[in-house]
Amino acid sequence: MRTRTIGNGRTSFDVSTICLGTMYMGTKIDEATSFAILDRFVEAGGTFIDTANNYNHWGLGYGRDSEDVIGRWLTSRGRPDGLRIATKVGAGKADPSLPLSNTPPTNFEGLGAATVDREVRESARHLGVEQIDVVYGHVDDLETPLAETVGAFGALQAEGLIGVSGISNVALWRVVEAREEALRQGVAPYGVVQQQYSYIYPAPKLGRQNFVTPELLSYAASTGVDGRPPLAVTAYSPLHQGALTRSDKTLWGGADHPTSHARVRLLREVARDAGATPNQVALAWMLGREVPAIPVTGPSSVAQLEEVLGAADLDLDPELRERLDAEPEEARAAA
């Protein structure tokens, strides 16, 4: 497994270029299967695991199910050398009696200083660790002053409870402003942003701010120099929840449009020519781009994980990459 370095200008460490997502561990994925997936990921050289404090709180779980599974796995196995764990806070339930929602009223707990401090400490307890390597604000909180949120994450990094902080589901201008605010306060800035990202993409829409954009990648590429601390990009739903491979899966999140359908067909054609699966080619495409992102994949079985691992060292021929990056002829005709 290849690695890359993430950091915030003060703290840095290496992580595997594929991150293991654990959303359904402890709920849809039973504990024995979860342990088997975690074991195989580490055996293959994986060192980056992603969870949150609210996963499946909208369904079968209570939110911290996956954190608890990871904690029990760490207790059972011992922490492998170089393993890095990321979690998220801010999108847990503010009112436990009400449901979570992606549209107002969301019932998100938000990113106020007291909430960040409490929830990060609780995540560390559930994971059974003294430091959480990466903690994201799960959803940007426009109701809390940005200076308060930035200061809260900065304080926990100074304390050593967080290694590197980050933010997810956020507009680019907010990322830039938050990092500038960290410099003004003299605290460690966000070092990583997690957004939705895959080979297909949604139509532009005002208010849709959860997707990786060319501008975000350009900004990330400009960092890591004097006066501009490094910024890495991680990508959730890089396989679009199976829709790149399975025709029975619908395209969601604004991606159900002619260009996406044409790109899926093209992806499958390129995969046949490459002797790989569409999922593997989609991951290799992301990993090998001029500005690479770290895909966060959530396999529900060891077999699915094996397919993902097959992408870790897959280098696409320049001709195949050129085909993938070209606008499909069908899409041009539709336009």
Side-chain angles (χ1 to χ4, degrees):
M1 184 83 72
R2 295 166 179 167
T3 63
R4 64 172 294 182
T5 301
I6 62 174
N8 56 22
R10 302 184 184 189
T11 299
S12 65
F13 43 78
D14 291 340
V15 297
S16 53
T17 53
I18 290 179
C19 179
L20 180 66
T22 64
M23 178 184 290
Y24 293 122
M25 288 187 178
T27 49
K28 292 183 179 181
I29 307 173
D30 63 56
E31 187 150 319
T33 302
S34 299
F35 276 34
I37 292 170
L38 289 161
D39 287 341
R40 176 61 186 129
F41 182 69
V42 169
E43 178 186 52
T47 61
F48 200 13
I49 296 174
D50 183 273
T51 184
N53 74 338
N54 78 328
Y55 277 159
N56 223 15
H57 208 171
W58 52 87
L60 303 173
Y62 72 97
R64 295 190 184 274
D65 309 81
S66 58
E67 286 187 339
D68 286 339
V69 167
I70 294 168
R72 289 192 290 270
W73 175 74
L74 289 172
T75 298
S76 172
R77 305 299 196 258
R79 184 162 182 165
D81 291 341
L83 185 70
R84 302 297 180 178
I85 298 172
T87 195
K88 308 175 195 71
V89 300
K93 287 186 176 183
D95 184 341
S97 67
L98 298 176
L100 289 174
S101 173
N102 285 327
T103 57
T106 61
N107 195 31
F108 292 151
E109 62 197 0
L111 296 173
T115 299
V116 170
D117 186 86
R118 180 188 69 244
E119 293 302 312
V120 172
R121 294 183 193 281
E122 190 66 6
S123 285
R125 186 179 72 81
H126 281 261
L127 290 165
V129 298
E130 294 183 356
Q131 182 187 70
I132 307 174
D133 301 290
V134 177
V135 179
Y136 300 92
H138 203 156
V139 179
D140 190 24
D141 179 3
L142 297 175
E143 302 302 317
T144 298
L146 194 57
E148 180 179 340
T149 300
V150 168
F153 278 113
L156 291 175
Q157 288 173 107
E159 179 184 328
L161 187 57
I162 294 176
V164 173
S165 67
I167 189 67
S168 181
N169 299 303
V170 62
L172 176 58
W173 73 266
R174 293 276 291 180
V175 177
V176 176
E177 179 59 25
R179 282 163 53 88
E180 290 298 316
E181 175 61 27
L183 293 177
R184 287 192 289 268
Q185 292 189 24
V187 300
Y190 293 148
V192 60
V193 174
Q194 185 172 126
Q195 300 281 83
Q196 184 187 342
Y197 186 27
S198 74
Y199 181 63
I200 58 177
Y201 44 83
K205 179 183 177 182
L206 185 64
R208 180 174 286 137
Q209 57 190 37
N210 64 317
F211 207 83
V212 167
T213 62
E215 289 81 6
L216 173 60
L217 295 177
S218 177
Y219 176 66
S222 75
T223 66
V225 297
D226 289 344
R228 196 185 292 267
L231 181 74
V233 177
T234 61
Y236 69 85
S237 297
L239 303 179
H240 210 76
Q241 298 181 356
L244 303 183
T245 299
R246 294 175 51 183
S247 298
D248 62 317
K249 289 281 190 175
T250 58
L251 303 183
W252 51 276
D256 190 1
H257 53 76
T259 298
S260 288
H261 290 283
R263 284 174 73 84
V264 168
R265 287 190 288 271
L266 175 60
L267 175 69
R268 294 172 182 176
E269 292 171 6
V270 170
R272 285 193 295 269
D273 293 344
T277 69
N279 285 339
Q280 290 171 336
V281 170
L283 292 173
W285 170 83
M286 184 179 296
L287 290 166
R289 298 202 76 188
E290 183 178 358
V291 183
I294 298 173
V296 182
T297 64
S300 59
S301 67
V302 173
Q304 289 184 0
L305 174 61
E306 293 294 350
E307 181 185 19
V308 169
L309 294 174
D313 297 316
L314 176 60
D315 294 316
L316 297 174
D317 290 340
E319 183 271 333
L320 294 179
R321 183 169 291 281
E322 185 176 348
R323 285 171 59 189
L324 288 169
D325 286 337
E327 184 181 1
E329 292 184 8
E330 297 166 82
R332 291 199 297 270

